[in-house]
Amino acid sequence: QVQLVESGGGLVQAGGSLRLSCAASGLTFSSYVMGWFRQAPGKEREFIAWSGGSTSYADSVKGRFTISRDNAKNTVYLQMNSLKPEDTAVYYCAAGQYYSRSYTRYDYWGQGTQVTVSS
């Protein structure tokens, strides 16, 4: 079955960096749009970025976060720089068939990894 496993979350000070990874199995990775989303307590799941033949970013992270993928390793990454306390959330990777900023358009999800940014 399809599995997406995130790693790389943790506690970092404001201004710091983290790199999240999401290892996929059970699907033809190169055929899927891979997305990153996040969800803070009491808030809706928020689009961050997707990667397919191109990339797209939410305005809130543009210029600070970079999504990339290694199709040979079935892995998608999210490099996060200049982190802010408001970036604190559980971060999820997702796989879908469409270029979409809506979490409802993604078919498979990882379990999430916590990112906490202290001020």
Side-chain angles (χ1 to χ4, degrees), residues 2-87:
V2 176
Q3 280 194 315
L4 302 178
V5 180
E6 301 99 336
S7 60
L11 174 65
V12 64
Q13 287 190 330
S17 298
L18 282 175
R19 188 174 86 149
L20 306 183
S21 300
C22 172
S25 60
L27 76 172
T28 306
F29 182 78
S30 60
S31 299
Y32 278 81
V33 176
M34 298 302 297
W36 283 99
F37 291 77
R38 67 186 179 189
Q39 190 164 19
K43 294 189 175 181
E44 283 204 357
R45 194 161 295 193
E46 176 190 14
F47 166 77
I48 298 172
W50 56 248
S51 171
S54 58
T55 58
S56 180
Y57 296 91
D59 288 344
S60 59
V61 306
K62 200 173 293 183
R64 299 189 298 124
F65 291 10
T66 303
I67 188 171
S68 62
R69 63 193 292 164
D70 185 338
N71 289 337
K73 294 184 177 180
N74 287 2
T75 301
V76 61
Y77 305 97
L78 186 69
Q79 177 66 43
M80 306 186 293
N81 298 330
S82 303
L83 282 160
K84 305 174 182 179
E86 51 263 44
D87 293 319

